Amino acid sequence: MSIRGFPLLGKLEPGTSQRHLVKLPGNALAGDEPRAVITVTGAKSGPTLFVNGGLHGAEYPAIEAVIRLGKVLDPATISGTVILMPVLNLPAFRNRTPFVCPIDSVNPNRVFPGDSNGSYSEQMVHALMHEFISHADAYIDLHGGDIPEDLVPFVISRAGDGAVDQKSKEMAMAFGLPYVLTVSKPVQVAKGLSSYAGAAENGVPAILAEGGGVGQLQEDAVEMLVNGVVRVMKQLGMMAADGGANAEHRTSNAERRITEPKVLTAFEWVYSKHAGMWYSRVKAGDVLKKGQEIGTVGDLFGDTLETVIAPVTGTVLFLTINPSVQANGLLMGIGVE
Ligand SMILES: [Zn+2]
């Protein structure tokens, strides 16, 4: 069987799972540890799905979900190929660094499609894009709240009427988390795009799914993310609709979340003005009304520097739970219907 692209993986044998240690190209990455990659090549042909965790190296349920998929997916029951990379951003994983790569302090999820002559993170993303994502028929990027972040599980895809965006939204709906967010523009001004938008821009249907957070390894979040990938595989025709019982973890928690997701169409991020102590009045998952007081920022004498007001009506999808905030520090993201 010839799987198009993926020259770094060598020959993939139908009906087998294979382990690879892959050196990513790019002169900034020359001294790097190789990345662990697991390929699950179905006995029957079908689409190629690429899944990674660890674009942010301290989002542990996402990383564990990719590791676990490599152990539970059975090539005998799969049509097509699943390519799994548990951790892209290894420097952040090794150093427990949130949000960015410690080598260049760049958030890799803001520089897609990357740059082969850019900084470390830009070269790393360029390698991911050109060696993996662009050769796949579909792409899933797994995330969660980072070390200072709590969140409710949600999936993001790029909004649009084109075929790639519609396929992406179908994947997002199939994943089975409580919220699906389709967004038409980047949520932060940055050099590049986020993973799902960068992939869609290159013609590859893609989603970003978030589960768990606060630097911990929540088992229910791992199961949600594993089950979500399996559901997308069924939707893509890579697995029989009633198959994969061994792969799908049937726990009460995970089962409860297989409901029609609530679709949100805008993502409003809230920032502090001042540096100081952040006292949130709300939790992840709370529904807010525009104008509602959602917290305060105080100084180290205990005086209030600012009162934070909800700029929109919507649902708190992620929340900074560590009290220390910088000036213009990110406090929360609100999903809007
Ligand atoms: Zn992330």
Short mmCIF file of all heavy atoms in Angstrom, two decimals, residues 157-174 182 200 205-207 235:
data_model
loop_
_atom_site.label_atom_id
_atom_site.label_comp_id
_atom_site.label_asym_id
_atom_site.label_seq_id
_atom_site.Cartn_x
_atom_site.Cartn_y
_atom_site.Cartn_z
N SER A 157 -13.60 24.97 14.66
CA SER A 157 -13.24 24.83 13.25
C SER A 157 -13.43 26.19 12.58
O SER A 157 -14.04 27.10 13.15
CB SER A 157 -14.09 23.77 12.55
OG SER A 157 -15.43 24.19 12.44
N ARG A 158 -12.87 26.33 11.36
CA ARG A 158 -12.99 27.59 10.65
C ARG A 158 -14.37 27.72 10.04
O ARG A 158 -14.87 26.78 9.42
CB ARG A 158 -11.91 27.66 9.55
CG ARG A 158 -11.72 29.06 8.96
CD ARG A 158 -10.63 29.08 7.91
NE ARG A 158 -11.04 28.44 6.67
CZ ARG A 158 -10.38 28.55 5.52
NH1 ARG A 158 -9.26 29.26 5.48
NH2 ARG A 158 -10.81 27.94 4.42
N ALA A 159 -14.98 28.89 10.19
CA ALA A 159 -16.29 29.13 9.58
C ALA A 159 -16.13 29.39 8.10
O ALA A 159 -15.12 29.96 7.68
CB ALA A 159 -16.96 30.32 10.25
N GLY A 160 -17.10 28.98 7.32
CA GLY A 160 -17.06 29.27 5.88
C GLY A 160 -18.03 28.38 5.13
O GLY A 160 -18.51 27.38 5.65
N ASP A 161 -18.32 28.78 3.88
CA ASP A 161 -19.28 28.04 3.07
C ASP A 161 -18.61 27.05 2.12
O ASP A 161 -19.27 26.23 1.50
CB ASP A 161 -20.12 29.01 2.23
CG ASP A 161 -20.96 29.91 3.12
OD1 ASP A 161 -21.39 29.42 4.18
OD2 ASP A 161 -21.16 31.09 2.76
N GLY A 162 -17.27 27.10 2.02
CA GLY A 162 -16.56 26.21 1.10
C GLY A 162 -16.58 24.76 1.59
O GLY A 162 -16.93 24.48 2.74
N ALA A 163 -16.19 23.84 0.70
CA ALA A 163 -16.24 22.41 1.01
C ALA A 163 -15.35 22.05 2.19
O ALA A 163 -15.74 21.26 3.06
CB ALA A 163 -15.84 21.60 -0.22
N VAL A 164 -14.15 22.66 2.26
CA VAL A 164 -13.22 22.32 3.35
C VAL A 164 -13.80 22.74 4.70
O VAL A 164 -13.75 22.00 5.68
CB VAL A 164 -11.84 22.98 3.11
CG1 VAL A 164 -10.95 22.86 4.33
CG2 VAL A 164 -11.17 22.35 1.89
N ASP A 165 -14.39 23.94 4.75
CA ASP A 165 -14.96 24.42 6.01
C ASP A 165 -16.19 23.62 6.41
O ASP A 165 -16.42 23.35 7.58
CB ASP A 165 -15.28 25.92 5.91
CG ASP A 165 -14.01 26.75 5.74
OD1 ASP A 165 -12.98 26.37 6.34
OD2 ASP A 165 -14.03 27.74 5.01
N GLN A 166 -16.98 23.23 5.42
CA GLN A 166 -18.16 22.41 5.73
C GLN A 166 -17.74 21.04 6.25
O GLN A 166 -18.30 20.53 7.23
CB GLN A 166 -19.05 22.26 4.48
CG GLN A 166 -19.78 23.55 4.12
CD GLN A 166 -20.68 24.06 5.26
OE1 GLN A 166 -21.46 23.30 5.82
NE2 GLN A 166 -20.54 25.33 5.62
N LYS A 167 -16.73 20.42 5.64
CA LYS A 167 -16.23 19.12 6.12
C LYS A 167 -15.65 19.26 7.53
O LYS A 167 -15.82 18.39 8.37
CB LYS A 167 -15.16 18.56 5.17
CG LYS A 167 -15.72 17.87 3.94
CD LYS A 167 -14.63 17.17 3.14
CE LYS A 167 -14.47 15.71 3.57
NZ LYS A 167 -13.60 14.94 2.66
N SER A 168 -14.96 20.39 7.77
CA SER A 168 -14.39 20.62 9.09
C SER A 168 -15.50 20.71 10.13
O SER A 168 -15.39 20.13 11.22
CB SER A 168 -13.58 21.92 9.10
OG SER A 168 -12.53 21.87 8.13
N LYS A 169 -16.57 21.43 9.80
CA LYS A 169 -17.66 21.56 10.75
C LYS A 169 -18.33 20.20 11.01
O LYS A 169 -18.71 19.90 12.15
CB LYS A 169 -18.70 22.58 10.27
CG LYS A 169 -19.74 22.86 11.35
CD LYS A 169 -20.75 23.90 10.97
CE LYS A 169 -21.76 24.06 12.12
NZ LYS A 169 -22.87 24.94 11.76
N GLU A 170 -18.45 19.39 9.97
CA GLU A 170 -19.02 18.04 10.17
C GLU A 170 -18.16 17.22 11.13
O GLU A 170 -18.67 16.49 11.98
CB GLU A 170 -19.15 17.32 8.82
CG GLU A 170 -20.29 17.85 7.96
CD GLU A 170 -20.20 17.39 6.51
OE1 GLU A 170 -19.45 16.42 6.23
OE2 GLU A 170 -20.86 18.01 5.66
N MET A 171 -16.84 17.33 10.99
CA MET A 171 -15.93 16.64 11.93
C MET A 171 -16.13 17.18 13.35
O MET A 171 -16.17 16.42 14.32
CB MET A 171 -14.46 16.84 11.52
CG MET A 171 -14.05 16.12 10.25
SD MET A 171 -12.44 16.74 9.62
CE MET A 171 -11.32 16.31 10.96
N ALA A 172 -16.26 18.51 13.46
CA ALA A 172 -16.42 19.14 14.78
C ALA A 172 -17.71 18.67 15.44
O ALA A 172 -17.73 18.36 16.64
CB ALA A 172 -16.42 20.66 14.64
N MET A 173 -18.78 18.58 14.66
CA MET A 173 -20.07 18.13 15.21
C MET A 173 -19.99 16.65 15.61
O MET A 173 -20.56 16.24 16.60
CB MET A 173 -21.19 18.34 14.19
CG MET A 173 -21.45 19.79 13.80
SD MET A 173 -21.94 20.86 15.17
CE MET A 173 -23.65 20.36 15.43
N ALA A 174 -19.26 15.86 14.81
CA ALA A 174 -19.16 14.41 15.09
C ALA A 174 -18.33 14.13 16.33
O ALA A 174 -18.51 13.10 16.98
CB ALA A 174 -18.54 13.70 13.88
N THR A 182 -17.43 27.82 15.58
CA THR A 182 -16.90 28.07 14.23
C THR A 182 -16.53 29.54 14.15
O THR A 182 -17.36 30.40 14.44
CB THR A 182 -17.93 27.72 13.14
OG1 THR A 182 -19.09 28.52 13.32
CG2 THR A 182 -18.31 26.25 13.20
N ALA A 200 -6.93 24.29 7.08
CA ALA A 200 -8.06 24.56 6.17
C ALA A 200 -7.60 25.43 5.00
O ALA A 200 -8.00 25.22 3.86
CB ALA A 200 -9.20 25.23 6.94
N PRO A 205 -9.39 19.55 5.68
CA PRO A 205 -10.41 19.73 6.71
C PRO A 205 -9.79 19.47 8.09
O PRO A 205 -9.06 18.50 8.27
CB PRO A 205 -11.46 18.67 6.37
CG PRO A 205 -11.26 18.37 4.93
CD PRO A 205 -9.78 18.54 4.68
N ALA A 206 -10.09 20.35 9.06
CA ALA A 206 -9.36 20.28 10.33
C ALA A 206 -10.19 20.82 11.48
O ALA A 206 -11.01 21.72 11.31
CB ALA A 206 -8.07 21.10 10.22
N ILE A 207 -9.94 20.25 12.66
CA ILE A 207 -10.55 20.75 13.90
C ILE A 207 -9.50 20.81 15.00
O ILE A 207 -8.48 20.11 14.95
CB ILE A 207 -11.73 19.87 14.38
CG1 ILE A 207 -11.29 18.41 14.61
CG2 ILE A 207 -12.88 19.94 13.40
CD1 ILE A 207 -12.35 17.53 15.24
N GLN A 235 -17.17 8.84 11.25
CA GLN A 235 -17.81 9.79 10.35
C GLN A 235 -17.06 9.85 9.02
O GLN A 235 -17.66 10.04 7.96
CB GLN A 235 -17.82 11.17 11.03
CG GLN A 235 -18.57 12.25 10.27
CD GLN A 235 -17.63 13.36 9.83
OE1 GLN A 235 -16.50 13.46 10.29
NE2 GLN A 235 -18.10 14.18 8.93
#
